[in-house]
Amino acid sequence: AVGRLVARTDAMATAQATKNNITLKGSTAIVTEFFGYAVNSILYQRGIYPPESFERKNKYGLGMLVTTDEQLKAYLVNVLQQINDWMLQKTLQKLVLVVTAVGSHEVLERWVFDIVQEDANVDERGDAVGEKSDKEIQTEISAIIRQITASVTFLPLLEEQCTFDLLVYTNDDAEVPVQWEESDARYIADNAEQVKLRSFSTSVHKVEGLVSYKASED
């Protein structure tokens, strides 16, 4: 069984990873940080927030755009901290960014990131430990970010003002803070098409991406 939650309203743990040794905590930090940059990139590329409200930062060998909007920054910090906690508890299944038209409330896009627990080794405390170089992981993440950046070439133009929600799928036994509430899946009603994104692996977690969108009717 799966619980679908949506966030209505601290910096992530730093990666506890040596060059080839990736712990659960280190992998969680890598994945959570990726989610932060991926969400920012999608919001910028899809025009959900004005371009002047983003600033450029270097990450993954790329010039990444991140929000300067204080309200959005606070929202993302809260969401990412909770995602970090759920991943450490091994109860997070997927993160979904839903793009919705403000006027009609129609769902136009769903950016889905599935989190898969890899078959990593286990240390004496029972924690997963994987082996992979930081360079390999960064290269794989960079490829996904490049795909998100290139999405404007195949996704339909969002012709009306849009907003977004972040949905999180968790195990039923996950502890849910009061700021979160249950949500439906927010699927695209009709004429949906999808494009699979690249995946990346830390050797402890694997993240698989997919974007579905409402295709033009002409």
Side-chain angles (χ1 to χ4, degrees):
V2 177
R4 286 185 297 270
L5 305 162
V6 58
R8 293 300 183 195
T9 47
D10 327 344
M12 296 301 101
T14 55
Q16 300 295 313
T18 63
K19 185 174 182 180
N20 294 308
N21 215 13
I22 310 289
T23 63
L24 173 63
K25 187 176 181 180
S27 176
T28 295
I30 291 168
V31 173
T32 304
E33 184 177 52
F34 160 75
F35 284 151
Y37 280 106
V39 168
N40 270 281
S41 184
I42 293 165
L43 297 181
Y44 174 82
Q45 296 297 337
R46 303 309 291 142
I48 310 301
Y49 283 77
E52 60 270 20
S53 68
F54 289 82
E55 63 182 2
R56 189 173 295 273
K57 290 189 176 181
N58 291 320
K59 186 69 179 177
Y60 310 125
L62 302 171
M64 302 296 300
L65 288 152
V66 296
T67 184
T68 58
D69 182 290
E70 293 299 329
Q71 188 174 2
L72 177 57
K73 283 165 67 175
Y75 170 81
L76 291 177
V77 165
N78 288 334
V79 171
L80 293 172
Q81 183 61 64
Q82 186 57 56
I83 284 173
N84 189 81
D85 293 345
W86 277 324
M87 286 189 68
L88 289 174
Q89 297 162 11
K90 303 180 182 179
T91 55
L92 185 69
Q93 297 181 8
K94 70 177 68 180
L95 173 69
V96 182
L97 188 156
V98 180
V99 176
T100 309
V102 170
S104 64
H105 304 292
E106 183 179 13
V107 175
L108 302 177
E109 294 175 8
R110 294 179 89 251
W111 295 79
V112 182
F113 298 97
D114 287 298
I115 299 99
V116 180
Q117 297 281 339
E118 300 256 64
D119 293 327
N121 295 322
V122 177
D123 64 15
E124 64 275 5
R125 294 175 299 182
D127 292 331
V129 178
E131 290 188 1
K132 191 163 186 176
S133 74
D134 183 64
K135 183 178 180 181
E136 286 180 282
I137 296 169
Q138 301 298 310
T139 299
E140 290 177 9
I141 292 176
S142 174
I144 301 180
I145 297 295
R146 289 178 191 277
Q147 271 192 305
I148 293 171
T149 303
S151 65
V152 292
T153 63
F154 63 83
L155 291 176
L157 181 67
L158 297 175
E159 296 180 340
E160 52 189 312
Q161 184 180 357
C162 292
T163 186
F164 83 102
D165 279 314
L166 291 175
L167 306 184
V168 173
Y169 287 61
T170 65
N171 298 346
D172 277 348
D173 59 354
E175 295 181 13
V176 180
V178 294
Q179 299 96 331
W180 293 70
E181 60 187 48
E182 290 194 28
S183 169
D184 61 35
R186 310 281 294 280
Y187 290 121
I188 296 169
D190 51 37
N191 232 26
E193 295 189 10
Q194 62 183 36
V195 175
K196 188 170 177 59
L197 303 176
R198 292 178 182 271
S199 63
F200 79 89
S201 167
T202 66
S203 74
V204 175
H205 296 105
K206 184 175 184 180
V207 177
E208 299 177 330
L210 175 82
V211 57
S212 55
Y213 59 94
K214 182 177 181 181
S216 302
E217 296 180 357
D218 46 47

